[in-house]
Amino acid sequence: AQRVTQPEKLLSVFKGAPVELKCNYSYSGSPELFWYVQYSRQRLQLLLRHISRESIKGFTADLNKGETSFHLKKPFAQEEDSAMYYCALSDRGSGGGADGLTFGKGTHLIIQP
Amino acid sequence: DVKVTQSSRYLVKRTGEKVFLECVQDMDHENMFWYRQDPGLGLRLIYFSYDVKMKEKGDIPEGYSVSREKKERFSLILESASTNQTSMYLCASRRRGEYEQYFGPGTRLTVT
């Protein structure tokens, strides 16, 4: 069974400090990994996915198949980064089919001024 | 922009009532999903649908059913609401063959 683990429920860092949100997964097939973000009073939205290898709002995430990890990183945190972050997995082998995402439990990131 | 709307932001129901949560998307997406979001548990998939009148169970379907009579609308039904179904319910949609899911604003359901 596929599983996504986010070990930190809460992460608090100071503005300007580096941020790393951890995500580990277990899946035997070919997964697609995502980070979703939910700002206060806003809907959940996609932040980035591993296959696009892009940087969004200064965040990057690299898929490490050996360590089965997909950690989210940003070199200099900003106050507007404060939000709930969810790592999610989809079965890429299904060809982008209808299957839902498997989410981690989320990490609440707080950026202190 | 994709728009996913949910019929209510807040809902309060009594134990044993039948509850309908409605979700509508305006981008002609084939796939639609219902999740519940609970603190410390993240999002868990209840049901999904890949076409009109088609539905599949997710990870926690017990106590729920769904209906998809039209492509744009996906309804979540609680046949007999219970207090442990108090939660935030999120609807999402996705175009077939793509990976990004678009979420609605959520319905916070309280069952007393």
Side-chain angles (χ1 to χ4, degrees):
Chain A
Q2 55 202 49
R3 188 190 303 171
V4 176
T5 303
Q6 293 180 250
E8 303 136 330
K9 282 188 179 180
L10 175 67
L11 183 63
S12 179
V13 302
F14 286 101
K15 177 182 172 182
V19 173
E20 183 179 47
L21 299 165
K22 291 185 168 51
C23 173
N24 289 89
Y25 66 92
S26 76
Y27 185 66
S28 57
S30 181
E32 176 87 8
L33 275 298
F34 305 84
W35 278 99
Y36 276 79
V37 61
Q38 188 169 30
Y39 301 103
S40 180
R41 294 190 178 87
Q42 294 187 28
R43 61 184 70 193
L44 195 65
Q45 58 187 287
L46 178 66
L47 180 61
L48 52 80
R49 61 180 176 128
H50 90 265
I51 204 167
S52 61
R53 303 184 67 83
E54 56 192 345
S55 173
I56 303 292
K57 298 185 179 182
F59 285 97
T60 59
D62 290 319
L63 179 62
N64 185 324
K65 290 186 179 180
E67 296 183 357
T68 59
S69 69
F70 187 55
H71 302 329
L72 183 68
K73 300 176 183 179
K74 184 169 182 176
F76 307 103
Q78 298 171 299
E79 288 185 68
E80 55 264 34
D81 295 329
S82 294
M84 196 74 186
Y85 290 81
Y86 292 96
C87 184
L89 178 155
S90 175
D91 176 7
R92 183 148 54 117
S94 71
D99 292 4
L101 294 166
T102 298
F103 284 87
K105 294 182 179 180
T107 298
H108 187 188
L109 177 64
I110 297 174
I111 307 302
Q112 298 191 51
Chain B
D1 273 353
V2 175
K3 196 160 185 189
V4 181
T5 56
Q6 295 181 228
S7 52
S8 306
R9 292 300 303 271
Y10 301 94
L11 210 52
V12 180
K13 296 291 181 180
R14 293 187 181 277
T15 302
E17 278 193 85
K18 189 169 186 176
V19 182
F20 292 86
L21 302 183
E22 304 285 342
C23 175
V24 177
Q25 51 93 5
D26 67 357
M27 284 302 290
D28 204 37
H29 285 175
E30 292 82 4
N31 304 335
M32 296 187 75
F33 309 85
W34 275 106
Y35 296 89
R36 62 177 284 176
Q37 183 181 29
D38 299 288
L41 296 178
L43 280 80
R44 293 176 291 167
L45 181 64
I46 305 171
Y47 265 97
F48 62 95
S49 168
Y50 51 91
D51 206 342
V52 176
K53 297 191 186 295
M54 308 303 281
K55 59 187 179 184
E56 292 285 344
K57 292 180 180 179
D59 299 318
I60 51 163
E62 296 80 19
Y64 303 95
S65 63
V66 290
S67 172
R68 184 121 182 249
E69 295 298 317
K70 293 185 177 182
K71 192 175 185 180
E72 67 270 20
R73 187 179 299 269
F74 191 35
S75 303
L76 180 69
I77 304 156
L78 287 67
E79 295 291 340
S80 177
S82 63
T83 54
N84 63 12
Q85 292 178 309
T86 290
S87 185
M88 173 69 86
Y89 290 87
L90 299 183
C91 175
S93 73
R94 179 177 69 190
R95 188 178 303 284
R96 183 178 295 150
E98 297 181 359
Y99 289 96
E100 180 169 359
Q101 292 191 15
Y102 296 86
F103 284 84
T107 295
R108 184 168 294 282
L109 172 67
T110 302
V111 183
T112 60

